[in-house]
Amino acid sequence: MPRQVLEFRGINRKHLGMYFEELGGKQISNEFPYVYSTDHWCGKIISEEELAITSTFKVNSVQIQFQSVNEENLKELIKQYRVKTRRIGG
């Protein structure tokens, strides 16, 4: 099964899990790695850490692994997930 790991910064880990659920995933575990799964794909929230940008500005960094039955489905899953995580300032 093809897989890819991406890093997301500044988004709450719980929200990242909720996005998997909105895409049809069912939560399998309640601790790291948080696993969300369907018949066609699996998403894992692998780790979360805090990064210091400056001495007072800190953000979280979350590593997520995407895995799917084939490369085409993997690309579509990541595309749909990125839409959920898109942040547009105003």
Side-chain angles (χ1 to χ4, degrees):
M1 290 179 85
R3 67 182 70 177
Q4 184 171 350
V5 175
L6 297 176
E7 176 184 32
F8 292 86
R9 291 184 178 180
I11 303 174
N12 184 294
R13 181 197 49 78
K14 291 181 182 180
H15 289 166
L16 293 169
M18 183 177 64
Y19 300 151
F20 278 125
E21 291 175 346
E22 290 175 359
L23 293 173
K26 180 178 178 182
Q27 187 171 354
I28 306 298
S29 66
N30 291 316
E31 58 187 69
F32 286 108
Y34 292 90
V35 178
Y36 298 83
S37 182
T38 71
D39 292 340
H40 303 289
W41 58 261
C42 176
K44 296 179 183 176
I45 300 176
I46 300 169
S47 66
E48 178 179 32
E49 63 181 284
E50 190 175 80
L51 298 175
I53 305 300
T54 67
S55 61
T56 57
F57 182 64
K58 298 175 183 174
V59 297
N60 71 326
S61 169
V62 181
Q63 298 288 321
I64 298 182
Q65 177 182 313
F66 299 87
Q67 187 173 346
S68 187
V69 294
N70 59 46
E71 194 68 38
E72 183 178 317
N73 285 352
L74 178 64
K75 287 180 183 178
E76 184 62 26
L77 170 62
I78 292 172
K79 177 182 171 185
Q80 291 177 2
Y81 197 84
R82 284 185 181 272
V83 168
K84 299 271 185 203
T85 61
R86 189 172 295 145
R87 301 291 188 256
I88 300 172

